[in-house]
Each structure stands twice: as C-alpha cells, then as structure tokens.
C-alpha cells in the first residue's frame, strides 16, 4: 500500500440517528452506550429540527465513542430532509428548503440530502420524504444508502415476516436512481456521500396487534457504516471539539467510504490514485499523466467495479487491485462480496 495512504488514520461510525429529543426511543447517553458495545468510533445524532442535545452539552466522548449532534431539517410539506452538521444554533421551523440550506452554510455548517428518492406505500403512517430541490447548489452531499428507507421500501405483505426475522439480510443496495444522481452531480461539482441508518428504535405492528421492534438501535448499528480517513489521530484524550472538527473535515471533503457491516468489516479497505510523483485518495484530485492508475486494497478478496463519470468501465476480483487509467474523469469504486454490494467509495478526480 502507498505510504501516504497507509499513514492515514481510519475511523468508522454511525450516521443518522434519532433520540428522545425527537422521535427516537432512547436518550443520547443510552444510544452512545449501545454504540460502545460495538466496534464503533463515532456516532452522529440527527434529531428532527433541533440541536437541543448539543445545547444541553451532550456532545463529547462516551467511553471510546465520539458523539456529535446535528439535526434533520425538513420543509413544511415534510419533504427535502437534510442532515445538517456543525451548526451552532437551532434553525427555525418551518422554512422553505432553500432557506435552511442557506442558514446551515451561514452558520459554517454543512449537510447531506437524506433518503433522496424515497418512495413507499407499505406503511401509510410512514409516508415517503423525497428530495425535490435538485436545482440548488447549496447542499453539500447525499446520503446515498439509508438502511431504514431500504427496508421499508422493500416491504410487502408476502415478505414482511422474512424481513422482520432477518432485517440485516434484507439490506441489499442503494437505489439505482440515487447512484445515478450522485454520479451526475459529481460530474460538475464535488458531492460527497455518506451512509445512514435512520435509527429510531420504533416498534412496528406487522402482525396485526402483535408489536415487533424490527431495528433496535444495536441491530441498526450493525448495518450501514460510514468510514473516514484522517491525517490526525483521534483518541478519547483528544478534546471532543477538535475531534469533531477532524471528523467533519473528512466528511465535507469526501475522504470517506460506506460499507454494509453485515457482509464483513471493511475497515482495511483503501482506494487511491497515483501517478509518477503524487497520490490522491477519496475526495481528492490528481493530475493525469502516463502511468496513472487507481489502486484498491481490500481486507479480503472481492469483486471491484470501476465507475468513470457514472459508467462502469472495468471489473476485477482480488484483494490488491490495480486499474491503469487512460483518460481524465471522475472515478469511484464499488465492491461486491458474496454477490452483494459491500463497499461504496467516494470519488477521486483525475484532472
């Protein structure tokens, strides 16, 4: 592995979590304790239209888990949900989507479009909340994989028992239209991606009057993970505000990738580009010259697909892979294991 890439520090975490400050079922300290029982480094809370948990000084270290508090904003029609981070004051509700996008930036914050192409009818009490404001350039990134949205959208009368018994197995892949839109946007500007669990700990009644908690927080936390690569080491001895700044910088820049933890630990995955003199990892750019190549290092052998400007151009299987690059473009990697999508990497720009 390239030395510059090898020297980056890796942290994996859970994004898009609701607590009792909105419609979740557990307190932030209790949710953090659950995350601490797993191999989780950070946890980002996103209660609806409030950062009261942050104002109540609940950000910080909970054992080895770093907790940051953002919010999930929405417009008066309950569309255009936006996961906002690094905001200092509660943004008033209700506002038009373009207005709260601007206010997040005015506070020095950033955010990700949540479950952008949500479309479901299996649970009338949980209607879809799609994103419609695609002509705006004020959103920063996209939540391309939402665990709860996928589970609910795939729910039918015939399969609900199997999906309830094996909820993690039923999470398969992001929606194709989400990936197409993500690639399309990245052809004109950098739009980093995250994965989210959308955890609430709700109890659903799939069997008439018999309640079933399908996704307790711990089960949700074993599905979609977002991994970041940073140049500074973070430990519980690091001031939590400094640690959050390091984490947020990586998410803003797209120095990150997404994995489905059900298929295995993806922590050792790396994706970078190099030419004769320089290297670039996810979220970065590299000048094309003769000999430029994409490189992938995996924790175990798997199938890698290279996507350039939204089109699949190469596929190889192995553990350490090399893809020579013949032309400029916006490149990303998808990794499949056991014929299922395991890892999605943010783009690298070859200029």
């Amino acid at each position: 592995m390239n030395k510059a890439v090898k020297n980056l520090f890796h942290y994996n975490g859970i994004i898009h979590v609701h607590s009792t400050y909105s419609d979740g079922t557990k307190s932030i300290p209790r949710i953090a304790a659950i995350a601490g029982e797993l191999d989780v480094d950070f946890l980002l809370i996103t209660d609806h239209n409030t950062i009261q948990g942050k104002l109540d000084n609940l950000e910080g270290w909970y054992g080895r888990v770093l907790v940051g508090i953002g919010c999930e904003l929405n417009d008066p029609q309950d569309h255009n949900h936006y996961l906002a981070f690094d905001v200092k004051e509660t943004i008033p509700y209700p506002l038009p989507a373009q207005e709260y996008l601007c206010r997040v930036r005015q506070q020095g914050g950033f955010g990700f479009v949540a479950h952008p192409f949500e479309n479901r009818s299996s649970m009338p009490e949980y209607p879809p909340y799609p994103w419609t404001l695609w002509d705006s350039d004020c959103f920063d990134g996209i939540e391309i994989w939402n665990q709860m949205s996928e589970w609910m959208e795939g729910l039918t009368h015939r399969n609900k028992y199997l999906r309830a018994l094996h909820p993690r197995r039923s999470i398969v892949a992001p929606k194709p239209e989400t990936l197409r839109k993500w690639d399309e946007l990245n052809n004109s500007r950098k739009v980093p991606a995250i994965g989210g669990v959308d955890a609430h700990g709700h109890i659903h009644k799939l069997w008439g009057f018999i309640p079933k908690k399908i996704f307790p927080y711990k089960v949700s936390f074993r599905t979609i993970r977002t991994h970041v690569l940073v140049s500074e080491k973070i430990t519980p001895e690091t001031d939590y505000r400094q640690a959050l700044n390091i984490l947020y910088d990586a998410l803003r820049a797209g120095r990150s990738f997404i994995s489905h933890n059900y298929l295995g630990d993806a922590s050792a995955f790396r994706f970078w580009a190099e030419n004769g003199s320089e290297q670039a990892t996810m979220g970065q750019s590299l000048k094309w010259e003769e000999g430029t190549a994409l490189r992938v290092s995996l924790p175990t052998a798997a199938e890698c697909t290279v996507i350039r400007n939204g089109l699949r151009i190469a596929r190889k299987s192995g553990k350490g892979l090399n893809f020579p690059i013949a032309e400029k473009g916006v490149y990303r990697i998808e990794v499949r294991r056991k014929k299922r999508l395991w890892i999605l990497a943010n783009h690298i720009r070859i200029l």
Side-chain angles (χ1 to χ4, degrees), residues 45-86:
I45 303 293
T46 51
D47 279 306
H48 293 283
N49 299 300
T50 181
I51 58 166
Q52 191 58 48
K54 178 175 182 173
L55 301 179
D56 288 343
N57 299 313
L58 291 179
E59 284 191 321
W61 290 102
Y62 291 75
R64 58 178 295 276
V65 179
L66 176 65
V67 173
I69 299 176
C71 58
E72 181 173 3
L73 303 168
N74 61 270
D75 63 20
Q77 291 74 43
D78 211 0
H79 290 172
N80 296 308
H81 286 221
Y82 193 60
L83 305 176
F85 301 103
D86 204 17

Side-chain angles (χ1 to χ4, degrees), residues 167-232:
R168 295 170 66 215
R169 189 187 302 174
S170 63
I171 305 305
V172 177
K175 300 184 76 167
E177 53 265 50
T178 302
L179 295 179
R180 285 195 295 270
K181 175 59 75 171
W182 181 42
D183 286 325
E184 174 192 324
L185 291 167
N186 272 281
N187 287 337
S188 57
R189 68 181 179 99
K190 182 193 290 189
V191 180
I194 58 169
V197 296
D198 210 349
H200 298 77
H202 281 164
I203 294 175
H204 302 285
K205 292 183 179 179
L206 298 181
W207 293 278
F209 296 103
I210 302 176
K212 167 71 174 175
K213 186 174 283 191
I214 305 299
F215 278 107
Y217 287 95
K218 184 176 283 189
V219 175
S220 292
F221 292 177
R222 287 172 168 155
T223 58
I224 307 304
R225 301 279 180 91
T226 298
H227 306 247
V228 299
L229 298 177
V230 301
S231 58
E232 299 178 65

Side-chain angles (χ1 to χ4, degrees), residues 103-164:
R103 292 200 182 201
V104 168
R105 287 198 170 177
Q106 287 168 3
Q107 291 192 31
F110 67 105
F112 298 85
V113 170
H115 38 70
F117 289 97
E118 202 166 58
N119 181 21
R120 59 173 176 256
S121 58
S122 58
M123 290 182 165
E125 66 270 33
Y126 299 112
Y129 310 113
W131 184 267
T132 61
L133 198 64
W134 291 114
D135 58 347
S136 174
D137 61 358
C138 291
F139 61 86
D140 299 290
I142 302 179
E143 178 193 53
I144 60 170
W145 203 346
N146 180 298
Q147 168 251 302
M148 183 53 70
S149 287
E150 181 182 350
W151 186 84
M152 292 178 71
E153 288 187 23
L155 198 65
T156 67
H157 181 70
R158 287 187 174 185
N159 71 16
K160 64 183 180 181
Y161 305 108
L162 183 62
R163 290 176 81 85

Side-chain angles (χ1 to χ4, degrees), residues 28 60 67 72 210 223 258 303 311 318-319 331:
I28 291 174
V67 173
E72 181 173 3
I210 302 176
T223 58
I258 301 153
E303 180 187 86
L311 300 175
K319 188 174 179 181
Y331 291 85

Side-chain angles (χ1 to χ4, degrees), residues 81-109:
H81 286 221
Y82 193 60
L83 305 176
F85 301 103
D86 204 17
V87 292
K88 284 72 177 175
E89 301 174 357
T90 296
I91 293 173
Y93 173 83
L95 291 173
Q98 183 63 28
E99 177 65 21
Y100 53 72
L101 290 179
C102 292
R103 292 200 182 201
V104 168
R105 287 198 170 177
Q106 287 168 3
Q107 291 192 31

